[in-house]
Amino acid sequence: MSRRSEITRKASTQSIAAPRARALATEGGDRQSYHVGNLRESLIREALSILQEGDGLQALSLRKVAAASGVSHTAAYRHFDDKNALLAAVAEEGFRLLYDYQREVVAEAGDDLTERFLNLGWLYVKFTIEYPQHARIMFGGAGLEFKAYPALVAAAAKTFRQLLEVVRRGQERGIIAAGSSKHLALAAWSIVHGVAMLVLDGQIRLRGDAADIEQTVKSVISTLFHGLAARPA
Amino acid sequence: MSRRSEITRKASTQSIAAPRARALATEGGDRQSYHVGNLRESLIREALSILQEGDGLQALSLRKVAAASGVSHTAAYRHFDDKNALLAAVAEEGFRLLYDYQREVVAEAGDDLTERFLNLGWLYVKFTIEYPQHARIMFGGAGLEFKAYPALVAAAAKTFRQLLEVVRRGQERGIIAAGSSKHLALAAWSIVHGVAMLVLDGQIRLRGDAADIEQTVKSVISTLFHGLAARPA
DNA sequence: TGTACATCAGTGAACGCGCGTTCACTGATGTAC
DNA sequence: TGTACATCAGTGAACGCGCGTTCACTGATGTAC
């Protein structure tokens, strides 16, 4: 008993992002023995799990999250000032998760920069499709005031900086056009974010299988890469 | 008395989009003498007005909308099956409004197609910034099941088709690259939608004035036009 | 023109619900001497 | 080692709230004869 609580306490002191990046994609984990030491993490995890069920943002309540963690609903106030603070933590976790995924793609060896760009963009869209409600919280659908949560702002900025670096490296190698790398990165982020949101909202109908969607999305991204305008022949 | 109700009844039989496209941008109109004949339009208008106050989607309730229309909250059920049906009507109205605005830009004379493209894109973003909550309903933030509302689907499709036509005309004139015009239009929609959402969510911080934002947005769109890749020199 | 009836938009009371938040509390664990 | 005390995570009852929806109703307007 005392041994277990020692373990869980230790777990609570380190970032939950790294060890859980994979776990999130799989199943919920053990439901027992939360409390004392890891309730905070448990609440975030269960919130994600509830969002994953797809009943929309308004299906997420403090009470449900607490119940899923096997805890009285007032216990949440030990760890979060209020409901919004929990949402902010969920969003923050989302950005860390996305960052980790992106890092893998960026780190992948491969000389074809275009290819890598397509993959990075496709990853972003895939993330949004796989974690739609999660993505909505991250991208303002919950009406969260980001400014009130510096850690959240930092996590989001870090994710964007990753893209910015890829653009810069491309420019150095002469593969990406010269100019404000910030504006170019913004263009890349915008198109990928836009197509993700349109797919998520069903404006882009995903008739056909996953492969079709992937192809469509990549075609859109490659339009950005090569330009909409006709090349002067 | 009977004369007035005749007028309002006639008004209710035609689309509210055209005559109101301008009115929406200005003030709320007269609050008296709704009922019998134009309650439906009044409910939609007041819903928009409440959304415009910017307290978020969840601040919009049937009861508030009815109260703003000066009517018992159960009266709404005379005109809408339920709350979602009202939301769908609001979204539909939004697409019609956007369509009308776009048509003006498209119709504007001007030989410079690039310029016109930038203007069309900027219009889209401006619309989203000016009617943020409205845009959220239109773009899935309310969790509306679009499929259940054919008129809504039609209005959205019509707006997209407008963009598609511009792309096709550009291709005919050899100004826009050959290839699937649908995919190209999708790319244009995506980037514009993405940048709009990122601005709306504060991910793109709008330090500086409106002109700065306009410049940034147009720079992003022109990146799509000319391509991210370096031109082979 | 007058009467009887149908239609239908809007009323207001009532319902049950889940919500976020507060409060005084309990009981286990950690710390000082 | 033992005692007294502080800390602190979690409890459970209670609060007030606004919500969507239902129901039987009222009263004005339109229609048939």
Side-chain angles (χ1 to χ4, degrees):
Chain A
M1 186 59 140
S2 79
R3 186 160 162 272
R4 184 170 65 203
S5 100
E6 210 178 314
I7 291 170
T8 53
R9 205 170 314 114
K10 185 187 285 178
S12 79
T13 63
Q14 56 185 346
S15 162
I16 60 178
R20 288 210 308 102
R22 285 288 151 218
L24 272 170
T26 64
E27 261 318 283
D30 55 329
R31 297 243 161 182
Q32 55 194 345
S33 82
Y34 293 146
H35 319 239
V36 189
N38 61 348
L39 216 209
R40 196 190 132 93
E41 288 76 6
S42 167
L43 290 169
I44 294 176
R45 176 166 46 233
E46 295 302 337
L48 286 171
S49 157
I50 287 170
L51 288 173
Q52 218 48 35
E53 280 156 24
D55 295 323
L57 259 180
Q58 62 226 43
L60 185 72
S61 69
L62 258 187
R63 296 169 102 105
K64 272 189 204 156
V65 171
S69 292
V71 121
S72 146
H73 62 273
T74 57
Y77 287 90
R78 284 286 141 199
H79 301 278
F80 298 102
D81 279 354
D82 52 25
K83 191 193 178 185
N84 276 344
L86 171 60
L87 292 183
V90 168
E92 191 186 327
E93 177 63 9
F95 278 111
R96 265 203 290 261
L97 190 53
L98 179 58
Y99 177 88
D100 285 348
Y101 282 143
Q102 281 188 359
R103 194 173 48 182
E104 283 179 29
V105 172
V106 170
E108 261 170 22
D111 286 342
D112 190 339
L113 190 77
T114 313
E115 178 84 17
R116 213 194 297 180
F117 234 90
L118 289 184
N119 285 339
L120 195 58
W122 169 236
L123 169 78
Y124 189 98
V125 177
K126 207 167 57 174
F127 178 88
T128 303
I129 295 174
E130 272 173 28
Y131 306 97
Q133 301 303 334
H134 196 162
R136 279 207 193 282
I137 292 190
M138 291 164 64
F139 299 123
L144 257 192
E145 197 60 67
F146 271 45
K147 281 174 292 185
Y149 306 96
L152 173 53
V153 171
K158 191 179 169 192
T159 306
F160 178 64
R161 232 176 297 127
Q162 208 174 26
L163 171 62
L164 196 57
E165 277 310 308
V166 172
V167 169
R168 284 206 180 114
R169 237 175 297 147
Q171 287 181 306
E172 280 164 17
R173 292 203 238 152
I175 299 170
I176 287 183
S180 159
S181 45
K182 207 176 150 192
H183 277 193
L184 295 178
L186 210 51
W189 192 14
S190 292
I191 202 165
V192 146
H193 188 68
V195 74
M197 288 301 172
L198 291 172
V199 167
L200 193 159
D201 295 341
Q203 300 286 356
I204 296 177
R205 267 185 304 286
L206 10 69
R207 77 163 77 95
D209 55 7
D212 281 355
I213 300 167
E214 180 170 350
Q215 212 201 333
T216 300
V217 169
K218 286 189 171 176
S219 144
V220 163
I221 300 171
S222 89
T223 299
L224 171 68
F225 205 78
H226 297 112
L228 195 64
R231 301 277 170 149
Chain B
M1 187 61 137
S2 79
R3 187 160 165 271
R4 186 171 64 202
S5 100
E6 210 178 313
I7 290 170
T8 53
R9 203 172 313 113
K10 184 188 283 178
S12 78
T13 62
Q14 57 187 346
S15 161
I16 60 179
R20 286 209 310 100
R22 286 285 150 221
L24 272 169
T26 65
E27 259 319 282
D30 57 326
R31 297 240 162 184
Q32 54 195 345
S33 82
Y34 295 145
H35 319 238
V36 188
N38 61 348
L39 216 208
R40 195 189 132 94
E41 288 76 5
S42 166
L43 290 170
I44 295 176
R45 175 166 47 233
E46 294 301 336
L48 287 171
S49 157
I50 287 170
L51 288 173
Q52 216 49 35
E53 281 156 23
D55 294 323
L57 259 179
Q58 62 225 42
L60 184 72
S61 71
L62 258 186
R63 296 169 102 106
K64 273 189 203 155
V65 171
S69 291
V71 123
S72 146
H73 61 273
T74 57
Y77 289 90
R78 284 285 140 202
H79 301 278
F80 299 102
D81 279 352
D82 52 24
K83 190 192 178 186
N84 276 344
L86 171 59
L87 292 183
V90 168
E92 189 186 327
E93 176 63 10
F95 279 111
R96 265 203 290 261
L97 191 52
L98 178 57
Y99 176 89
D100 285 347
Y101 281 143
Q102 282 188 359
R103 193 173 48 181
E104 283 180 27
V105 171
V106 170
E108 260 171 23
D111 286 342
D112 190 340
L113 189 77
T114 313
E115 178 83 18
R116 212 194 297 180
F117 233 90
L118 289 184
N119 285 339
L120 194 58
W122 168 238
L123 169 79
Y124 187 99
V125 178
K126 206 167 59 174
F127 178 88
T128 304
I129 295 174
E130 272 173 29
Y131 307 96
Q133 301 304 334
H134 196 163
R136 280 207 191 284
I137 292 190
M138 290 164 65
F139 298 123
L144 257 192
E145 198 61 67
F146 269 46
K147 280 173 294 185
Y149 306 96
L152 174 52
V153 171
K158 189 178 171 194
T159 306
F160 178 65
R161 230 177 298 126
Q162 206 174 26
L163 171 62
L164 196 58
E165 276 311 308
V166 172
V167 168
R168 284 207 180 113
R169 237 174 297 146
Q171 287 180 309
E172 282 166 15
R173 291 203 240 150
I175 299 170
I176 287 183
S180 159
S181 47
K182 206 177 151 192
H183 277 191
L184 295 178
L186 210 50
W189 192 15
S190 292
I191 202 164
V192 145
H193 187 68
V195 74
M197 288 300 171
L198 291 173
V199 167
L200 194 159
D201 295 341
Q203 300 286 356
I204 296 177
R205 266 185 305 288
L206 12 67
R207 78 163 76 93
D209 55 6
D212 281 355
I213 301 168
E214 180 170 349
Q215 211 201 334
T216 300
V217 169
K218 286 189 171 176
S219 146
V220 163
I221 301 171
S222 89
T223 298
L224 171 70
F225 205 78
H226 296 112
L228 195 65
R231 300 278 170 149

